[in-house]
Amino acid sequence: MIIRQFLLWTQHESAGRRAEAASSLARAYLYAKLDPAARWEAKTAITALLDDPSPLVRRALAEACANAAEAPRTLVVALAQDQAEIAGLVLARSPVLSDADLVDCAAVGDEAGRIAIAGRPALSAMLCGALAEIAGAAALRALAANPGAEITRGSFLRMVERHGDDARLREALLARADLPVDVRQAVTARLASALSAFVSGCGWLSRERSERVTREARERATLGLAEGSDRADLRRLVAYLRGAGQLTPGLILRAMLSGRMAFTEAALTDLSGLAAERVAGLLHDPRGSGMAALYRRAGLPPALEPAFAAAMSAWHEEASGLRESSGPGLSRRMIERAVTACERLPFADAHAIVALLNRFDAEAARDEARLLARALVSEAATDPVIDTAPETIPAGLMDSYRRDRPRLAA
């Protein structure tokens, strides 16, 4: 009786009144204590309303059923295939929809539907993987910003690969605390590429110089990301860098000259194929023969071997002192040793290597100058005369300042 009266009544009312009636009937089905016959009639009636020509009626059904676990599955699935403003209501919230339903809606729907799916309170790794493959940048931004999304490392990398040029997506990814270190490196690399293209496009730097600046900035960022990472994260980072063509001899040399031995060991382990313990033993062999064998096994350029050997020798001699004086940046002492070792090479082999080492030295000098300037400012705030309390400035920085002061003054 209910269904006959209701359907007869809806044929003569305005769309707004039909929408009100549809909402009331749907809520009665969901929350009222109806007897089985009345419940069946109500379900039949609201299902029949899917054919209503007015989107107001179908939207009223979607609003009533969006959060209800007891909503008829056939009704919710049909609403999920409706117009974007209707489908989005159930795609964003309905607990009735399975992962298979959501993947299908993401595949055949529009970007608005994918954004709604990406913002659901909980998303499985499988659904996140599907979105990473097919969603646009806007939906991926919503996915990256969703703390309830179980995004795997592979899905993160796919997101960066497909839409890493989107600045807002990069920002959302970098804000995630669970972002793996190799993915963070991938995002950083895309950011560096975007900045390089902007700078060269503006004509501020030549393309070649922009690429060099970008590469060196990316290398510094890479080593910064690697700092404090455990062995497993370092392995993944190195594997990603090698696959992306970024695990260069220059990066490994920079890591060694910066005292980042954990990263150096991980890189040489990946390149040589030897066990990590074996690599550590060869690298830290004080006689140097182990380092030479490891270097050749890793397939690194022969011309760079003297620089690596000299840097490692300096590390063996003054490891603790180097760490204290140079901090996280490049060690000028190690660079000087490497330059001296390479100067004996033929010019054809030496000039590019020495130029690289000189750029490292200039970078290290600037880093030292920044630290010294901060120390001088801090000292000046409490005592205008620096010599009254020199012990407050790191000894290595003060020695460097005194050594370079005459040349800088000239």
Side-chain angles (χ1 to χ4, degrees):
M1 189 63 180
I2 293 178
I3 184 171
R4 296 192 188 98
Q5 293 176 346
F6 179 81
L7 293 177
L8 181 63
W9 178 70
T10 57
Q11 291 176 5
H12 302 287
E13 293 294 334
S14 66
R17 294 292 301 275
R18 293 201 309 275
E20 293 178 6
S23 177
S24 297
L25 187 59
R27 295 180 191 281
Y29 170 81
L30 292 171
Y31 306 114
K33 296 181 179 180
L34 302 177
D35 60 67
R39 184 174 178 81
W40 178 86
E41 288 189 356
K43 179 180 179 181
T44 303
I46 59 177
T47 303
L49 287 174
L50 290 170
D51 293 329
D52 193 289
S54 173
L56 291 176
V57 175
R58 303 193 302 278
R59 182 182 177 88
L61 291 175
E63 289 175 343
C65 298
N67 294 314
E70 300 299 323
R73 174 174 169 75
T74 53
L75 177 71
V76 174
V77 170
L79 291 171
Q81 307 290 338
D82 210 310
Q83 298 176 9
E85 63 176 8
I86 298 172
L89 295 171
V90 294
L91 289 175
R93 306 195 297 264
S94 177
V96 175
L97 295 172
S98 66
D99 279 357
D101 296 325
L102 294 168
V103 169
D104 181 65
C105 291
V108 302
D110 55 18
E111 189 67 2
R114 297 185 189 110
I115 293 173
I117 294 171
R120 288 173 68 90
L123 292 175
S124 68
M126 185 269 286
L127 185 52
C128 290
L131 289 173
E133 287 291 339
I134 61 179
L140 293 183
R141 289 196 297 266
L143 179 63
N146 186 349
E150 298 179 12
I151 310 175
T152 65
R153 171 182 169 275
S155 296
F156 276 128
L157 288 173
R158 185 59 176 152
M159 293 165 67
V160 177
E161 180 183 353
R162 293 184 61 240
H163 292 288
D165 292 332
D166 187 271
R168 292 167 62 191
L169 174 59
R170 293 196 301 264
E171 183 179 1
L173 287 170
L174 292 174
R176 290 188 67 102
D178 62 343
L179 194 69
V181 65
D182 52 340
V183 180
R184 198 171 291 274
Q185 156 62 22
V187 176
T188 303
R190 293 299 288 268
L191 172 60
S193 297
L195 292 175
S196 176
F198 176 76
V199 169
S200 59
C202 292
W204 296 341
L205 294 176
S206 67
R207 183 176 61 84
E208 293 77 9
R209 184 169 179 79
S210 177
E211 289 177 352
R212 173 188 288 179
V213 171
T214 299
R215 182 179 66 253
E216 293 177 353
R218 185 179 64 223
E219 289 177 352
R220 293 191 69 171
T222 297
L223 295 181
L225 292 173
E227 187 72 14
S229 298
D230 58 28
R231 182 175 293 185
D233 284 339
L234 283 177
R235 284 198 304 267
R236 284 191 290 268
L237 175 59
V238 166
Y240 169 79
L241 292 171
R242 189 177 184 184
Q246 297 177 25
L247 189 63
T248 61
L251 174 60
I252 301 173
L253 180 59
R254 175 188 284 273
M256 181 177 286
L257 293 173
S258 302
R260 308 293 178 88
M261 288 303 160
F263 181 90
T264 303
E265 291 176 15
L268 294 175
T269 298
D270 188 272
L271 292 173
S272 67
L274 299 174
E277 293 75 12
R278 178 63 173 159
V279 168
L282 292 172
L283 183 63
H284 296 285
D285 180 4
R287 297 169 299 176
S289 58
M291 172 65 194
L294 176 61
Y295 187 92
R296 297 186 182 96
R297 176 66 179 264
L300 295 172
L304 276 174
E305 186 174 351
F308 275 83
M312 202 63 209
S313 176
W315 171 263
H316 288 149
E317 291 175 5
E318 303 181 66
S320 60
L322 289 174
R323 283 195 295 268
E324 291 171 1
S325 62
S326 62
L330 291 156
S331 165
R332 299 189 70 187
R333 296 182 189 178
M334 295 177 74
I335 293 171
E336 289 172 3
R337 293 284 293 271
V339 170
T340 300
C342 292
E343 286 176 345
R344 296 190 290 268
L345 295 172
F347 178 78
D349 295 331
H351 77 281
I353 301 171
V354 172
L356 172 65
L357 292 171
N358 285 338
R359 291 199 301 273
F360 284 168
D361 188 55
E363 181 183 314
R366 292 180 66 177
D367 288 342
E368 283 187 358
R370 291 188 190 101
L371 291 173
L372 181 59
R374 293 192 191 102
L376 291 174
V377 169
S378 176
E379 176 64 22
T382 56
D383 191 336
V385 182
I386 189 173
D387 290 333
T388 60
E391 67 278 2
T392 62
I393 299 176
L397 290 179
M398 200 64 215
D399 292 343
S400 176
Y401 169 71
R402 289 167 176 158
R403 181 177 66 249
D404 292 343
R405 181 167 50 183
R407 177 172 58 81
L408 295 173

Coordinates of all heavy atoms in Angstrom, one line a residue, residues 185-220:
Q185 N 63.6 11.7 -2.1 CA 64.7 12.0 -3.0 C 64.1 12.3 -4.4 O 64.5 13.2 -5.1 CB 65.7 10.9 -3.0 CG 66.6 10.9 -4.3 CD 67.4 12.1 -4.6 OE1 67.6 12.9 -3.7 NE2 67.8 12.3 -5.9
A186 N 63.1 11.4 -4.8 CA 62.5 11.6 -6.1 C 61.8 12.9 -6.2 O 61.8 13.6 -7.3 CB 61.6 10.4 -6.4
V187 N 61.1 13.2 -5.2 CA 60.3 14.5 -5.2 C 61.3 15.7 -5.2 O 61.1 16.6 -6.0 CB 59.4 14.6 -3.9 CG1 58.8 16.0 -3.8 CG2 58.4 13.5 -3.9
T188 N 62.4 15.6 -4.5 CA 63.4 16.6 -4.5 C 64.0 16.8 -5.8 O 64.3 17.9 -6.3 CB 64.5 16.3 -3.4 OG1 63.9 16.1 -2.1 CG2 65.5 17.4 -3.3
A189 N 64.3 15.7 -6.5 CA 64.9 15.7 -7.9 C 63.9 16.4 -8.8 O 64.3 17.2 -9.7 CB 65.2 14.3 -8.3
R190 N 62.6 16.1 -8.7 CA 61.6 16.8 -9.6 C 61.6 18.3 -9.3 O 61.4 19.1 -10.2 CB 60.3 16.2 -9.5 CG 60.2 14.7 -10.0 CD 60.5 14.6 -11.5 NE 59.5 15.1 -12.3 CZ 58.5 14.4 -12.8 NH1 58.4 13.1 -12.5 NH2 57.5 14.9 -13.5
L191 N 61.7 18.6 -8.1 CA 61.7 20.1 -7.7 C 62.9 20.7 -8.3 O 62.8 21.8 -8.8 CB 61.7 20.2 -6.2 CG 61.9 21.6 -5.6 CD1 60.8 22.6 -6.1 CD2 61.9 21.6 -4.1
A192 N 64.1 20.1 -8.2 CA 65.3 20.6 -8.7 C 65.2 20.8 -10.2 O 65.6 21.8 -10.8 CB 66.5 19.8 -8.4
S193 N 64.6 19.9 -10.9 CA 64.4 20.0 -12.3 C 63.5 21.1 -12.7 O 63.8 21.8 -13.7 CB 63.9 18.6 -12.9 OG 64.8 17.6 -12.7
A194 N 62.5 21.3 -11.9 CA 61.5 22.4 -12.2 C 62.2 23.7 -12.0 O 62.1 24.7 -12.8 CB 60.3 22.3 -11.3
L195 N 63.0 23.9 -10.9 CA 63.8 25.1 -10.7 C 64.8 25.4 -11.8 O 65.0 26.5 -12.3 CB 64.4 25.1 -9.3 CG 63.5 25.1 -8.1 CD1 64.3 24.9 -6.8 CD2 62.7 26.4 -8.1
S196 N 65.5 24.3 -12.3 CA 66.4 24.4 -13.3 C 65.8 24.9 -14.6 O 66.3 25.8 -15.3 CB 67.1 23.1 -13.6 OG 68.0 23.2 -14.7
A197 N 64.6 24.3 -14.9 CA 63.9 24.8 -16.2 C 63.5 26.2 -16.0 O 63.5 27.0 -17.0 CB 62.7 23.8 -16.4
F198 N 63.0 26.6 -14.9 CA 62.6 28.0 -14.7 C 63.8 29.0 -14.8 O 63.7 30.0 -15.5 CB 62.0 28.1 -13.3 CG 61.6 29.5 -12.9 CD1 60.4 30.1 -13.5 CD2 62.4 30.3 -12.1 CE1 60.1 31.4 -13.2 CE2 62.0 31.6 -11.8 CZ 60.8 32.2 -12.3
V199 N 64.9 28.6 -14.2 CA 66.0 29.5 -14.2 C 66.6 29.7 -15.7 O 66.9 30.8 -16.1 CB 67.1 29.0 -13.3 CG1 68.4 29.8 -13.5 CG2 66.7 29.2 -11.8
S200 N 66.8 28.6 -16.3 CA 67.3 28.6 -17.7 C 66.2 29.3 -18.6 O 66.6 30.0 -19.6 CB 67.6 27.2 -18.2 OG 66.5 26.3 -18.2
G201 N 65.0 29.0 -18.4 CA 63.9 29.6 -19.2 C 63.9 31.1 -19.1 O 63.6 31.8 -20.0
C202 N 64.2 31.6 -17.9 CA 64.2 33.1 -17.7 C 65.5 33.7 -18.2 O 65.6 34.9 -18.3 CB 64.1 33.4 -16.2 SG 62.5 33.0 -15.5
G203 N 66.5 32.9 -18.6 CA 67.7 33.4 -19.2 C 68.7 33.8 -18.1 O 69.7 34.5 -18.4
W204 N 68.5 33.4 -16.9 CA 69.4 33.9 -15.8 C 70.7 33.1 -15.8 O 71.7 33.6 -15.5 CB 68.7 33.7 -14.4 CG 67.5 34.5 -14.3 CD1 67.2 35.7 -15.0 CD2 66.4 34.4 -13.3 NE1 66.0 36.2 -14.5 CE2 65.5 35.4 -13.5 CE3 66.2 33.4 -12.4 CZ2 64.3 35.6 -12.8 CZ3 65.0 33.5 -11.6 CH2 64.1 34.6 -11.8
L205 N 70.6 31.8 -16.2 CA 71.8 31.0 -16.4 C 71.7 30.2 -17.7 O 70.6 30.0 -18.2 CB 71.9 30.0 -15.2 CG 72.2 30.5 -13.8 CD1 72.1 29.4 -12.8 CD2 73.5 31.3 -13.7
S206 N 72.9 29.9 -18.2 CA 72.9 29.0 -19.4 C 72.3 27.6 -19.0 O 72.3 27.2 -17.9 CB 74.3 28.9 -20.0 OG 75.1 28.1 -19.1
R207 N 71.9 26.9 -20.0 CA 71.3 25.6 -19.7 C 72.3 24.7 -19.1 O 72.0 23.9 -18.1 CB 70.8 24.9 -21.0 CG 70.1 23.6 -20.8 CD 69.6 23.1 -22.2 NE 70.6 22.9 -23.1 CZ 71.4 21.8 -23.2 NH1 71.2 20.8 -22.3 NH2 72.3 21.6 -24.1
E208 N 73.6 24.7 -19.6 CA 74.6 23.9 -19.0 C 74.9 24.2 -17.6 O 75.1 23.3 -16.7 CB 75.9 24.0 -19.9 CG 75.8 23.4 -21.3 CD 75.0 24.4 -22.2 OE1 74.8 25.5 -21.8 OE2 74.8 23.9 -23.3
R209 N 75.0 25.5 -17.3 CA 75.4 25.9 -15.9 C 74.2 25.6 -15.0 O 74.4 25.2 -13.9 CB 75.7 27.4 -15.9 CG 76.1 27.9 -14.5 CD 76.7 29.3 -14.6 NE 77.0 29.8 -13.2 CZ 78.1 29.5 -12.6 NH1 79.0 28.6 -13.2 NH2 78.4 29.9 -11.4
S210 N 73.0 25.8 -15.5 CA 71.8 25.5 -14.7 C 71.7 24.1 -14.4 O 71.4 23.7 -13.2 CB 70.5 26.0 -15.5 OG 69.4 25.6 -14.7
E211 N 72.1 23.2 -15.3 CA 72.1 21.8 -15.1 C 73.1 21.4 -14.0 O 72.9 20.6 -13.2 CB 72.3 21.0 -16.4 CG 71.1 21.1 -17.3 CD 71.4 20.4 -18.7 OE1 72.6 20.0 -18.9 OE2 70.5 20.3 -19.5
R212 N 74.3 22.0 -14.1 CA 75.3 21.7 -13.1 C 74.9 22.2 -11.7 O 75.0 21.4 -10.7 CB 76.6 22.4 -13.5 CG 77.7 22.3 -12.4 CD 78.9 23.1 -12.7 NE 79.7 22.6 -13.8 CZ 80.8 23.1 -14.2 NH1 81.2 24.3 -13.7 NH2 81.5 22.6 -15.2
V213 N 74.4 23.4 -11.6 CA 73.9 23.9 -10.3 C 72.8 23.0 -9.7 O 72.8 22.6 -8.6 CB 73.4 25.3 -10.4 CG1 72.7 25.8 -9.2 CG2 74.6 26.3 -10.8
T214 N 71.9 22.6 -10.6 CA 70.8 21.7 -10.2 C 71.3 20.4 -9.7 O 70.9 19.8 -8.7 CB 69.8 21.5 -11.4 OG1 69.3 22.7 -11.7 CG2 68.7 20.5 -10.9
R215 N 72.3 19.8 -10.5 CA 72.8 18.5 -10.1 C 73.5 18.6 -8.7 O 73.3 17.7 -7.9 CB 73.8 18.0 -11.2 CG 74.4 16.6 -10.9 CD 75.4 16.2 -11.9 NE 76.6 17.0 -12.0 CZ 76.8 17.9 -13.0 NH1 75.9 18.1 -14.0 NH2 77.9 18.6 -13.0
E216 N 74.3 19.6 -8.5 CA 75.0 19.7 -7.3 C 74.1 20.0 -6.1 O 74.3 19.4 -5.0 CB 76.1 20.8 -7.4 CG 77.2 20.5 -8.4 CD 78.2 21.6 -8.5 OE1 78.0 22.7 -8.0 OE2 79.3 21.3 -9.2
A217 N 73.1 20.8 -6.3 CA 72.1 21.0 -5.3 C 71.3 19.7 -4.9 O 71.0 19.4 -3.8 CB 71.1 22.1 -5.7
R218 N 71.0 18.9 -6.0 CA 70.3 17.7 -5.8 C 71.2 16.7 -5.0 O 70.7 16.0 -4.1 CB 70.0 17.0 -7.1 CG 69.1 15.8 -7.0 CD 68.8 15.3 -8.4 NE 70.0 14.9 -9.1 CZ 70.2 15.2 -10.4 NH1 69.3 15.8 -11.1 NH2 71.3 14.8 -11.0
E219 N 72.5 16.7 -5.3 CA 73.4 15.8 -4.6 C 73.5 16.2 -3.1 O 73.5 15.3 -2.2 CB 74.8 15.9 -5.2 CG 74.9 15.2 -6.6 CD 76.2 15.3 -7.2 OE1 77.1 16.1 -6.7 OE2 76.5 14.7 -8.3
R220 N 73.5 17.5 -2.8 CA 73.6 17.9 -1.4 C 72.3 17.5 -0.7 O 72.3 17.0 0.4 CB 73.7 19.4 -1.3 CG 75.1 19.9 -1.8 CD 75.3 21.4 -1.5 NE 75.4 21.6 0.0 CZ 75.8 22.7 0.6 NH1 76.0 23.8 -0.2 NH2 75.9 22.8 1.9

